[in-house]
């Protein structure tokens, strides 16, 4: 049993249960209840203390308040699933450390002097036979060469037996049964296990359950990131909308200011032109006035002509 069923009292209607009551599982209403995912597995969470009822779930899905409650229920489910996955990830990290600490096989022990001598004799025989095989092959004596090769193979078998360590078979079994760790559900697996057993794990309740939990969290993270990006773009657009009128007003203000500067420049140039002309005007007036005064003081009058003497001029 993964959840609480309705009691007889509740079924008879003496106590009306609605989908938004605290006794009803919000996880079951909005998506899935994690307690349903791991029943009879190593990760069994036990029975859910709240009510799972298909009719209540149908009532929730048809409710006009459905859309307003979904974010709240999903946020609660995210919080529960994150704790579940964080606990599992700690288990996975410990599993990795355990696998990393596996003792490497010891180096092969040194051979005794007797075995070393036997090995040297075998290697010398193998070398001589291979030279003979090569010579026979060059002479075209294929049958003889093949016969010698069979002797070489037999000597190689003797050499392998001589080099074999007493615990080689045990080490081979250890390597054959080397463990691996499932990153999704944290289960230990045999690395080179049969395909059917590996498939059985992938389709098992624990692996599928944790896969569903992780997929849900990834989906919620994507939705959250998308909402943040849309909010950021919205703020940027709002800021642009506010900035555009200011920039337009600033351009108009700048245009008016440039017009005022141009007007002031034109006034300054005009005033400067007047200032350059005024000294010349003063000099011109001064010259005329001076000449007029000099004429008025002259004894010959204003006409400026000298009086000519009428006395005859004597010539010598």
């Amino acid at each position: 049993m993964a959840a609480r069923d309705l009691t007889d009292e509740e079924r008879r209607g003496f106590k009306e249960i609605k989908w938004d009551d605290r006794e009803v599982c919000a996880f079951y209403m909005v998506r899935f209840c994690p307690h349903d995912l791991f029943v009879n597995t190593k990760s069994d969470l036990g029975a859910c203390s709240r009510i799972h009822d298909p009719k209540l779930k149908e009532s929730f899905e048809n409710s006009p308040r459905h859309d307003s409650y979904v974010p709240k229920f999903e946020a609660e489910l995210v919080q529960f699933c994150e704790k579940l996955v964080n606990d599992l990830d700690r288990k996975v990290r410990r599993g990795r450390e355990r696998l990393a600490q596996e003792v490497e096989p010891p180096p092969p022990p040194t051979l005794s002097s007797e075995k070393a001598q036997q090995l040297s004799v075998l290697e010398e025989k193998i070398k001589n036979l291979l030279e003979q095989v090569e010579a026979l092959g060059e002479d075209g004596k294929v049958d003889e060469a093949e016969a010698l090769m069979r002797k070489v193979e037999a000597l190689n078998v003797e050499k392998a037996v001589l080099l074999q360590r007493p615990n080689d078979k045990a080490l081979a079994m250890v390597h054959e049964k080397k463990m691996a760790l499932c990153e999704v559900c944290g289960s230990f697996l045999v690395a080179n296990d049969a395909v059917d057993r590996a498939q059985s794990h992938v389709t098992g309740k624990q692996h599928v359950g944790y896969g569903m939990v992780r997929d849900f969290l990834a989906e919620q993270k994507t939705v959250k990131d998308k909402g943040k990006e849309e909010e950021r773009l919205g703020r940027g657009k709002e800021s642009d909308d506010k900035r555009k009128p200011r920039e337009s007003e600033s351009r108009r203000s700048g245009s008016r200011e440039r017009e005022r500067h141009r007007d002031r420049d034109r006034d300054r140039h005009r005033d400067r032109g007047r200032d350059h002309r005024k000294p010349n005007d003063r000099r011109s007036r001064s010259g005329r006035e001076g000449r007029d005064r000099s004429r008025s003081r002259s004894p010959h009058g204003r006409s400026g002509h000298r009086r000519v003497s009428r006395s005859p001029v004597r010539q010598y």
Side-chain angles (χ1 to χ4, degrees):
M1 187 65 66
R4 182 174 81 79
D5 290 330
L6 292 172
T7 64
D8 292 337
E9 181 183 357
E10 291 164 347
R11 289 183 187 280
R12 287 195 298 268
F14 294 118
K15 182 179 180 182
E16 185 180 3
I17 298 296
K18 297 180 181 179
W19 60 261
D20 56 348
D21 288 343
R22 292 183 61 84
E23 295 90 343
V24 179
C25 180
F27 304 159
Y28 176 79
M29 292 290 106
V30 72
R31 286 296 186 92
F32 58 85
C33 179
H35 292 82
D36 293 341
L37 302 180
F38 307 107
V39 179
N40 298 327
T41 69
K42 292 181 180 179
S43 301
D44 196 334
L45 301 175
C48 181
S49 61
R50 298 185 178 183
I51 297 171
H52 292 189
D53 186 76
K55 291 183 179 180
L56 292 176
K57 185 168 186 174
E58 183 180 356
S59 175
F60 168 66
E61 291 172 350
N62 295 328
S63 172
R65 295 183 295 158
H66 172 270
D67 293 346
S68 62
Y69 270 75
V70 165
K72 176 179 180 294
F73 288 170
E74 284 184 341
E76 293 175 2
L77 181 56
V78 165
Q79 187 176 2
F80 186 92
C81 289
E82 283 179 343
K83 182 180 184 305
L84 199 64
V85 169
N86 288 338
D87 292 342
L88 176 64
D89 287 344
R90 281 193 291 270
K91 177 183 174 183
V92 170
R93 284 194 295 272
R94 289 194 299 267
R96 287 201 206 100
E97 293 171 0
R98 176 180 164 186
L99 292 177
Q101 290 172 358
E102 287 184 348
V103 180
E104 294 293 331
T110 56
L111 296 174
S112 63
S113 58
E114 181 183 356
K115 286 188 175 183
Q117 187 177 359
Q118 292 175 3
L119 180 63
S120 177
V121 172
L122 282 173
E123 289 177 343
E124 185 66 25
K125 287 182 179 180
I126 292 171
K127 179 182 177 183
N128 293 333
L129 286 174
L130 289 174
E131 290 175 355
Q132 294 177 35
V133 168
E134 185 177 356
L136 290 171
E138 291 176 354
D139 294 340
K141 298 177 181 180
V142 178
D143 294 337
E144 291 87 341
E146 289 180 352
L148 289 181
M149 278 302 300
R150 286 192 287 272
K151 289 184 179 181
V152 170
E153 290 173 359
L155 291 175
N156 279 326
V157 171
E158 291 184 29
K159 179 181 176 181
V161 171
L162 187 64
L163 292 173
Q164 188 176 15
R165 294 172 295 181
N167 57 347
D168 274 351
K169 292 183 179 180
L171 287 172
M173 291 180 64
V174 169
H175 284 291
E176 184 181 354
K177 297 293 183 181
K178 187 175 181 181
M179 302 302 292
L181 187 67
C182 178
E183 298 287 337
V184 175
C185 65
S187 298
F188 282 98
L189 309 170
V190 178
N192 300 318
D193 209 348
V195 177
D196 55 343
R197 293 187 63 179
Q199 184 65 26
S200 176
H201 167 76
V202 173
T203 58
K205 188 177 291 186
Q206 180 165 310
H207 186 90
V208 171
Y210 276 113
M212 186 181 296
V213 169
R214 290 183 185 276
D215 289 344
F216 169 71
L217 291 177
E219 174 194 330
Q220 291 298 304
K221 184 178 183 302
T222 301
V223 171
K224 186 176 180 180
D225 293 343
K226 183 179 179 181
K228 287 182 178 179
E229 180 64 17
E230 290 177 352
E231 183 180 354
R232 185 185 67 81
L233 293 175
R235 287 197 302 268
K237 185 177 182 302
E238 183 179 354
S239 177
D240 291 341
D241 293 341
K242 290 180 179 179
R243 188 169 58 249
K244 285 178 182 178
R246 290 197 298 268
E247 290 177 351
S248 178
E249 179 62 27
S250 176
R251 285 194 295 270
R252 289 195 296 268
S253 175
S255 178
R256 290 194 295 268
E257 187 65 25
R258 286 192 296 272
E259 287 293 333
R260 285 197 292 271
H261 279 299
R262 283 196 292 269
D263 292 342
R264 285 197 293 269
D265 290 341
R266 284 195 295 270
D267 292 342
R268 281 197 295 270
H269 285 305
R270 194 178 298 114
D271 294 341
R272 196 177 296 118
R274 294 196 193 98
D275 293 341
H276 284 306
R277 288 195 299 272
K278 285 178 180 178
N280 294 330
D281 293 343
R282 286 195 294 271
R283 285 196 294 272
S284 298
R285 288 196 296 271
S286 174
R288 287 195 298 271
E289 292 173 357
R291 286 194 296 272
D292 292 341
R293 285 195 298 272
S294 64
R295 290 193 193 101
S296 62
R297 287 195 300 268
S298 173
H300 302 292
R302 291 183 181 179
S303 63
H305 296 288
R306 281 176 119 178
R307 191 175 291 177
V308 179
S309 175
R310 297 192 180 199
S311 58
V313 179
R314 292 180 184 181
Q315 297 185 1
Y316 297 94

